[in-house]
Amino acid sequence: MTRHISRSKNLYTMAAIDLACFAAALLFSYCIRFDFKIPSSYGVQYAELLLPVLAIKFSVFMTMGLYRGMWRYTSLHDGWTLLQAVAIQSCIVLFFIVYAYGAQGFPRSVFILDPLVTFALTGGIRMGIRAYYSIFADGSTPFATTRSLFKASSRKRAIIIGAGRAGERLVRELQAETTLGYEILGFIDKEGTLHGRTIHGKPVFGSLDVLEGIVKSMRADEAIIALTEASGESILEIANACNEIGLAHKILPSMHEVLDWKRGVKALREVNYLDLLGRSQINLDTRAIAAYLEGRTVLVTGCGGSIGSELVRQIVRFNPAKLILVDAGEHNLYQIEMELLHRIGFKNYVTVLGNIRDGELMKAVFETNKPHAVFHAAAYKHVPMLERNPWQAIHNNIFGTRTIMQAAVDAGVERFVVVSTDKAVRPTNVMGTTKRITELLMQTFSDSSTRFMAVRFGNVLGSSGSVIPLFLDQISKGGPVTVTHPEVTRYFMSIPEAAQLILQCGTMAHGGETFVLDMGVPVRIADMAADLIRLAGFEPGKDIEITFTGLREGEKLYEELITDGEGILRTEHDKIMVLGCCDLKNMETGREQFKKDLVALGKAADAYDHEGIRAILRRMVPEYIPAEHSSN
């Protein structure tokens, strides 16, 4: 109630100010026309016109929504709307005069001057209020704020590296958000044409080579990297330059990360390895994604895991009617539930604590909730662990997937997306082989109305079991950093990037396809370790050693995204490809043999038969060569 009264008072005040401006503009136009000596007859004319002109102008401003915004945040968009409103009201005023008075005896120059003065006065008032709040953002008196400006010691003196659009937005927001405690000194940018110029009153000092001198002369405390599309090499060069002179540094992440949940400039964080990958922004067909998610019921298995939880975050952005969250881990399920409820504010969800191998439970969940789309991210994925316990990979990754696929078909699910892996290509381990069989399982349901598809991609940075947290922990303890082999390489992408592309793939499938994400260039793990050491401010081999421990069980030197015989085709999305050969009926085993092998595989898993499991896997996936027999 108090907020409503306050809003009404603000509206009345804004309207009163504008009405005064309208009256003053018309009077000033008459004064200019008659050199400030208005004849009495024209004074009467002004008095007669005043009320209808005020009514017309105020009505146009109301219709154009000029009282819905907050003047303290006046922008160029508001200025353009104001200009349109002034033009429209001037036309209406002229039409009124012609209709009511015949336009005889009215000085034309007055009605040329009036809109110009109206725009200057109303726009000036708005910009003045915007300027006031930009300087005195805490709403205090000018004198109190002036005193606070002298407390420079409590503020971080920062240099922004990057004088492009991101840097301009950043300095504007930092100047408005005084509570963040930053004093911006200026910019560093490699673009020579910008050197010596100013942005929002802050100078562009020069390139990176002048950074040290600027830091010393201006006593800078921190650098903020505002290069959202920079290459990994550029970010590493900047980080190394800051480390060399002992300058603390943070980075403004990609615009997706900045806008995520409206965190704005508060998304500033330390530079991490993902920044060094320099991966470009993803362009999503949001309309196509919304078409199958918005207002629908969506089920995510493994919803508390790295990929599953990010899928949940991305799906929520498309306003589903309901989310069904399935996870076997109590803690993971609780974590994503609390995030949905308290951080994101999404309440239309159902939590299911259970294993995808529980056929009766999965059947009940599907029959009760009737999901339209399923994202299947539940799987065991730790390669060495599953080499030692292959039966768990069989039960969970293969038979758990078959169980939930069957439940989806029985419930009439429209789309079913399987999260796969590059380890399914010419697999050298049990985990990768079970994921390849998961891709083939889709073909056994090809006669159903459910549209199945698989999405194959490489490692995601920051996922559970990822090498990055291990390396960071080893660096924090002074090393050594352990790498399995000097030449081992892996593909990497971020968790949000993987989740977004999985959603995009969901728009493309006709049924049975395996999509492959463009993972860019593979990264040498030894190079990654060295870069992380440098990011931490140390020198590899000098401050912290890198040691090689040998390949682990089931590992190979490099991963692939396609195998021999799988033709790959481009799609309408530049980061998504689709395999041209993926039908089970083209495989040597054939569908009937595949089903028989599944029965035999289940019996071997029930008997905890290592050798039996591997023998059947090799029969089902001929390209599977266990690591100890692989030349890789």
Side-chain angles (χ1 to χ4, degrees):
M1 185 68 177
T2 304
R3 183 181 296 179
H4 178 72
I5 294 172
S6 175
R7 185 176 177 182
S8 298
K9 283 182 62 179
N10 288 339
L11 175 61
Y12 297 147
T13 303
M14 292 160 65
I17 291 172
D18 275 346
L19 287 170
C21 288
F22 299 154
L26 186 61
L27 178 60
F28 187 70
S29 299
Y30 272 95
C31 289
I32 293 294
R33 167 65 179 82
F34 295 106
D35 296 325
F36 291 89
K37 297 177 182 178
I38 304 174
S40 58
S41 60
Y42 284 104
V44 172
Q45 186 184 86
Y46 167 78
E48 288 180 356
L49 282 179
L50 184 59
L51 284 180
V53 167
L54 291 182
I56 291 170
K57 290 186 175 184
F58 182 72
S59 299
V60 171
F61 270 41
M62 283 290 291
T63 303
M64 297 287 286
L66 286 169
Y67 299 112
R68 288 199 292 266
M70 298 177 69
W71 289 4
R72 70 177 65 183
Y73 301 125
T74 297
S75 63
L76 288 176
H77 177 270
D78 297 314
W80 172 243
T81 304
L82 181 66
L83 183 61
Q84 290 176 303
V86 170
I88 291 170
Q89 64 184 207
S90 298
C91 292
I92 296 174
V93 166
L94 286 173
F95 179 80
F96 167 75
I97 291 173
V98 171
Y99 179 79
Y101 300 101
Q104 295 299 320
F106 289 87
R108 287 172 294 181
S109 57
V110 167
F111 301 103
I112 295 173
L113 290 169
D114 178 60
L116 299 177
V117 179
T118 298
F119 180 74
L121 290 177
T122 56
I125 290 289
R126 285 162 169 77
M127 290 307 298
I129 292 173
R130 164 69 188 269
Y132 176 87
Y133 278 99
S134 295
I135 300 171
F136 312 120
D138 59 357
S140 60
T141 66
F143 299 104
T145 307
T146 303
R147 287 196 299 269
S148 69
L149 291 175
F150 288 99
K151 299 176 182 177
S153 60
S154 63
R155 297 188 174 198
K156 289 183 180 178
R157 297 167 61 82
I159 295 173
I160 296 178
I161 300 179
R165 292 178 60 188
E168 182 274 330
R169 280 194 295 263
L170 179 61
V171 72
R172 179 157 32 97
E173 190 166 353
L174 285 173
Q175 287 180 332
E177 290 279 353
T178 57
T179 56
L180 294 174
Y182 276 97
E183 180 186 350
I184 304 303
L185 303 175
F187 295 86
I188 292 290
D189 198 288
K190 66 179 180 180
E191 180 57 53
T193 58
L194 298 177
H195 298 170
R197 304 179 72 175
T198 62
I199 300 174
H200 296 303
K202 305 300 179 182
V204 181
F205 297 116
S207 301
L208 200 60
D209 53 4
V210 304
L211 178 63
E212 184 174 3
I214 296 298
V215 169
K216 289 180 179 178
S217 63
M218 305 195 72
R219 303 187 308 280
D221 302 310
E222 188 173 290
I224 302 175
I225 304 170
L227 301 168
T228 55
E229 295 293 329
S231 67
E233 291 81 2
S234 297
I235 299 296
L236 183 60
E237 180 186 6
I238 294 168
N240 288 339
C242 292
N243 285 331
E244 286 176 6
I245 60 177
L247 180 64
H249 51 283
K250 291 182 179 177
I251 191 168
L252 182 69
S254 67
M255 286 311 298
H256 161 74
E257 193 175 340
V258 170
L259 295 174
D260 191 25
W261 315 125
K262 301 178 176 64
R263 288 182 295 163
V265 75
K266 296 180 180 66
L268 282 175
R269 54 162 172 77
E270 302 297 325
V271 179
N272 62 38
Y273 188 75
L274 180 59
D275 301 312
L276 304 189
L277 289 181
R279 295 185 65 85
S280 60
Q281 289 289 106
I282 298 173
N283 297 314
L284 296 179
D285 185 352
T286 53
R287 289 187 180 181
I289 296 173
Y292 79 94
L293 293 181
E294 189 173 4
R296 302 295 189 92
T297 299
V298 182
L299 185 147
V300 181
T301 70
C303 64
S306 307
I307 296 296
S309 61
E310 185 61 29
L311 278 171
V312 169
R313 296 181 194 103
Q314 298 290 342
I315 291 168
V316 166
R317 298 172 66 188
F318 292 94
N319 301 313
K322 184 166 65 172
L323 270 176
I324 314 301
L325 309 175
V326 179
D327 203 288
E330 179 186 33
H331 179 70
N332 283 351
L333 188 60
Y334 173 77
Q335 289 288 97
I336 190 62
E337 179 186 14
M338 290 300 99
E339 183 174 346
L340 277 177
L341 191 60
H342 298 298
R343 179 189 168 202
I344 300 173
F346 184 85
K347 299 179 181 179
N348 299 324
Y349 62 84
V350 174
T351 54
V352 179
L353 179 61
N355 199 297
I356 57 173
R357 290 181 281 177
D358 189 336
E360 291 302 315
L361 175 60
M362 292 301 106
K363 181 179 179 181
V365 169
F366 276 79
E367 287 181 349
T368 301
N369 296 285
K370 298 292 184 184
H372 295 86
V374 174
F375 293 89
H376 177 44
Y380 288 147
K381 64 178 186 178
H382 194 278
V383 170
M385 190 73 72
L386 295 180
E387 287 299 293
R388 297 189 291 268
N389 302 273
W391 45 84
Q392 293 292 2
I394 304 305
H395 285 308
N396 193 77
N397 294 4
I398 296 178
F399 292 110
T401 297
R402 186 176 67 172
T403 296
I404 201 165
M405 283 181 172
Q406 186 63 60
V409 169
D410 293 343
V413 169
E414 292 180 8
R415 299 168 198 256
F416 192 111
V417 182
V418 177
V419 176
S420 190
T421 172
D422 59 356
K423 293 178 176 61
V425 182
R426 291 207 303 163
T428 60
N429 52 65
V430 170
M431 193 282 282
T433 310
T434 59
K435 296 300 282 185
R436 176 58 182 149
I437 292 174
T438 297
E439 295 176 355
L440 298 175
L441 269 174
M442 298 187 304
Q443 306 304 318
T444 65
F445 295 98
S446 60
D447 297 331
S448 71
S449 60
T450 301
R451 213 182 300 179
F452 286 93
M453 65 209 79
V455 184
R456 188 188 287 176
F457 55 92
N459 299 274
V460 286
L461 289 170
S463 64
S464 59
S466 170
V467 72
I468 301 294
L470 173 63
F471 285 172
L472 293 177
D473 181 62
Q474 291 174 334
I475 292 170
S476 69
K477 296 176 180 177
V481 174
T482 57
V483 178
T484 57
H485 191 283
E487 300 302 322
V488 67
T489 63
R490 292 291 182 268
Y491 290 101
F492 286 98
M493 65 168 36
S494 71
I495 295 175
E497 184 179 3
Q500 290 168 23
L501 290 174
I502 290 170
L503 296 187
Q504 188 69 71
C505 290
T507 70
M508 299 179 177
H510 299 288
E513 296 96 334
T514 296
F515 292 97
V516 179
L517 304 188
D518 182 357
M519 299 293 297
V521 179
V523 177
R524 286 179 74 245
I525 302 301
D527 292 342
M528 173 191 286
D531 287 343
L532 284 172
I533 292 171
R534 293 190 186 97
L535 273 181
F538 302 107
E539 187 62 31
K542 181 180 178 182
D543 302 313
I544 294 180
E545 293 292 332
I546 298 175
T547 61
F548 300 99
T549 58
L551 292 175
R552 300 180 299 173
E553 302 159 84
E555 285 190 326
K556 56 182 178 179
L557 283 180
Y558 60 90
E559 304 289 1
E560 305 161 279
L561 292 171
I562 60 171
T563 189
D564 294 338
E566 292 182 323
I568 195 162
L569 305 172
R570 285 283 173 184
T571 68
E572 59 267 30
H573 196 284
D574 60 351
K575 287 184 176 290
I576 300 174
M577 299 164 285
V578 63
L579 298 186
C581 172
C582 55
D583 198 323
L584 183 63
K585 65 186 179 184
N586 295 326
M587 304 294 291
E588 292 181 7
T589 53
R591 297 192 183 204
E592 291 304 315
Q593 184 60 48
F594 183 78
K595 292 177 180 178
K596 291 178 182 178
D597 286 338
L598 281 179
V599 173
L601 189 61
K603 291 179 179 178
D606 289 338
Y608 310 111
D609 181 358
H610 280 265
E611 295 305 319
I613 289 171
R614 285 177 169 80
I616 298 170
L617 289 178
R618 291 199 67 178
R619 187 163 70 239
M620 298 180 75
V621 183
E623 63 269 26
Y624 165 47
I625 303 175
E628 59 268 24
H629 304 300
S630 172
S631 60
N632 292 334

